[in-house]
Amino acid sequence: MAETSETTGAGELSPRPRKSSWRYIGPGIVVAATGVGAGDLVATLIAGSKFGYTLMWAAVIGCLVKISLAEAVGRWHLATGRTLFDGWRTLGGWTTGYFAVYVVVWGFVYGATAMSSSALPIVALFPDGPGLKTWAIITGLIGLVFVWFNQYAVFEKVMTVLIGVMFVVVVYVAIRVVPDVGASFAGLLPVLPDGSLIYTLGLIGGVGGTITMAAYGYWVNAKGWSDASWMKVMRIDNRVAYITTGIFVVAMLIVGAELLHSSQIALTSGDRGLVDLGEVLQDRFGAGTAKLFLIGFFAASFSSLIGVWHGVSLMFADFVERFRGARGHAGVEGAGSGTVGRQERSVPFRAYLLWLTFPPMTLLWLDEPFGLVIGYGVLGAFFMPFLALTLIWLLNSSRTPREWRNGWLSNGMLGAAGLLFIVLCVQQVRELPW
């Protein structure tokens, strides 16, 4: 391997930028596959079914927003050698309090949601087999065992396969419905039809936008990218991932516009909407296409499940380690594949894996308690504004080396993302069943 450092005038070693190569791509694919869940695909389908190609421009802007956010997360990790939670702690104790409550409540509810989402397409594929609850438990246990006994390298390979399946299936279905190319390009012109504002904001901010965006830096470190010499590689990795996500969104908009909008077919909201779409595809193109789509649906759901099981558990392990003050001072061993490898075998990592898997199984038999729904909704709605605004704070301060602080473009994109997520946050809180 070529040398990756050079001597500065002061006699210190400074990282030399790594040459970009396709063989390095990986963490971005993982974060994109995790962030795009079944619910996101349904929301995109419904937007296409209601407004046709009109909101195509929002999908493109959403892709740019995600690229900016993930790049900022990765830049913080590589430029400072510190994890994101380490950075949050420097902003005050309130960040620790927020994250502690958020990660416990969110994980409890999300675990049940992820297991149910992964089980739905299996039940549709094998209607004479076990029921939804049984398959949900099986998928949760498979996710637990897989993440427990494998480290990042194997995890990344499996996620790459799942996103490959997603990509092929979604693009194939979009081609089968024969997109209107002219209308697609016309949809790149920003227009807001009556009643489309919330759908537009959701398209820009929703698809691929979850706590797993904050986990991107941990996956970057797990890949072995531990300093600023990897900055160019990280940026290419991130762009490839979210351009791929953008293609997903565009493909699902095309399916919604061509298959549902023209026929005035309504889908059930939530993950079950994809089961409805499978039935529509079977009526239109036959059982083969419908089954292929359900396989893609499973790939989308299960990749989100194991992505959260791994990525958020890493964040929780880092949170616990720093809360206990296990390191001598902030910034020591703040990043690096060795640190992540140790965390993957740590008690907090595995404890959070168990928390994501077993307690949420109780929700498969019970309606979610009213207070839990409210708490989950409020905490979840606040996370993306929290991420965008704290990144602006961290990356414009002395906590970040001057060379890697935000420029006007990064500040503009993160500021716009912060405002967007605040609006979405208010809307989500208003829609909760108070």
Side-chain angles (χ1 to χ4, degrees):
M1 181 178 291
E3 291 293 326
T4 57
S5 61
E6 56 188 3
T7 304
T8 65
E12 299 175 347
L13 288 179
S14 142
R16 179 183 299 166
R18 307 267 178 162
K19 291 183 179 179
S20 57
S21 171
W22 286 98
R23 66 189 174 92
Y24 291 134
I25 300 300
I29 295 295
V30 170
V31 75
T34 305
V36 181
D40 294 313
L41 297 183
V42 173
T44 308
L45 274 172
I46 292 175
S49 70
K50 287 181 175 292
F51 303 105
Y53 292 94
T54 311
L55 300 182
M56 189 73 75
W57 62 273
V60 174
I61 291 178
C63 180
L64 296 176
V65 167
K66 303 308 183 308
I67 287 173
S68 300
L69 274 168
E71 187 275 340
V73 171
R75 177 156 44 95
W76 165 263
H77 276 250
L78 296 180
T80 66
R82 302 165 75 179
T83 65
L84 189 55
F85 184 75
D86 197 9
W88 285 338
R89 285 195 66 196
T90 67
L91 302 181
W94 64 275
T95 60
T96 300
Y98 170 75
F99 185 80
V101 176
Y102 173 83
V103 79
V104 171
V105 176
W106 182 89
F108 183 48
V109 180
Y110 180 82
T113 302
M115 288 185 275
S116 296
S117 178
S118 297
L120 276 170
I122 302 177
V123 172
L125 282 166
F126 305 105
D128 297 326
L132 179 68
K133 294 181 180 65
T134 302
W135 278 120
I137 291 171
I138 290 171
T139 58
L141 292 175
I142 290 172
L144 170 68
V145 171
F146 172 75
V147 175
W148 190 289
F149 290 104
N150 288 291
Q151 291 188 302
Y152 178 78
V154 175
F155 166 71
E156 182 189 286
K157 288 181 173 63
V158 171
M159 291 291 278
T160 302
V161 170
L162 290 172
I163 202 170
V165 172
M166 274 174 66
F167 185 89
V168 170
V169 168
V170 169
V171 172
Y172 168 75
V173 172
I175 292 171
R176 282 297 302 270
V177 301
V178 189
D180 184 332
V181 177
S184 299
F185 280 105
L188 296 175
L189 181 67
V191 173
L192 275 178
D194 291 341
S196 68
L197 178 60
I198 298 305
Y199 292 96
T200 303
L201 294 175
L203 271 180
I204 295 173
V207 180
T210 68
I211 187 176
T212 53
M213 293 201 73
Y216 178 56
Y218 292 84
W219 286 322
V220 162
N221 295 153
K223 185 73 169 175
W225 306 349
S226 56
D227 57 43
S229 68
W230 291 99
M231 199 71 73
K232 184 177 180 181
V233 175
M234 179 276 293
R235 285 170 168 164
I236 292 173
D237 171 73
N238 173 44
R239 289 166 192 165
V240 169
Y242 279 100
I243 288 171
T244 303
T245 302
I247 293 172
F248 287 153
V249 177
V250 168
M252 293 304 281
L253 269 176
I254 289 170
V255 173
E258 292 292 343
L259 198 61
L260 307 176
H261 181 66
S262 58
S263 306
Q264 296 298 300
I265 298 172
L267 294 182
T268 306
S269 61
D271 298 347
R272 290 186 181 274
L274 293 183
V275 177
D276 294 347
L277 180 61
E279 294 170 357
V280 173
L281 288 169
Q282 181 165 338
D283 291 341
R284 177 87 173 263
F285 300 113
T289 298
K291 290 184 183 299
L292 183 64
F293 176 76
L294 289 171
I295 291 170
F297 174 5
F298 173 76
S301 298
F302 192 66
S303 64
S304 293
L305 185 152
I306 62 173
V308 166
W309 265 228
H310 188 273
V312 184
S313 296
L314 277 179
M315 293 186 69
F316 182 77
D318 185 51
F319 163 75
V320 171
E321 189 167 353
R322 293 178 186 284
F323 186 73
R324 289 174 174 172
R327 293 172 183 164
H329 57 84
V332 176
E333 277 198 317
S337 57
T339 303
V340 171
R342 175 170 51 78
Q343 287 177 336
E344 287 174 310
R345 298 183 294 272
S346 69
V347 171
F349 180 90
R350 290 178 169 176
Y352 195 72
L353 267 179
L354 296 173
W355 174 253
L356 282 167
T357 306
F358 290 106
M361 288 179 183
T362 60
L363 296 182
L364 299 174
W365 277 270
L366 302 172
D367 290 332
E368 293 173 4
F370 178 80
L372 189 60
V373 172
I374 299 297
Y376 173 75
V378 171
L379 289 167
F382 274 96
F383 185 78
M384 291 305 286
F386 170 79
L387 176 62
L389 297 177
T390 53
L391 282 171
I392 292 175
W393 192 345
L394 290 170
L395 292 168
N396 283 286
S397 71
S398 59
R399 299 172 182 85
T400 304
R402 185 174 300 278
E403 178 185 0
W404 302 112
R405 291 179 197 169
N406 278 358
W408 66 268
L409 181 60
S410 293
N411 277 326
M413 292 299 293
L414 289 176
L419 290 174
L420 166 70
F421 291 127
I422 288 171
V423 173
L424 283 172
C425 172
V426 171
Q427 181 63 27
Q428 284 178 263
V429 171
R430 286 178 58 192
E431 290 179 353
L432 287 171
W434 298 99

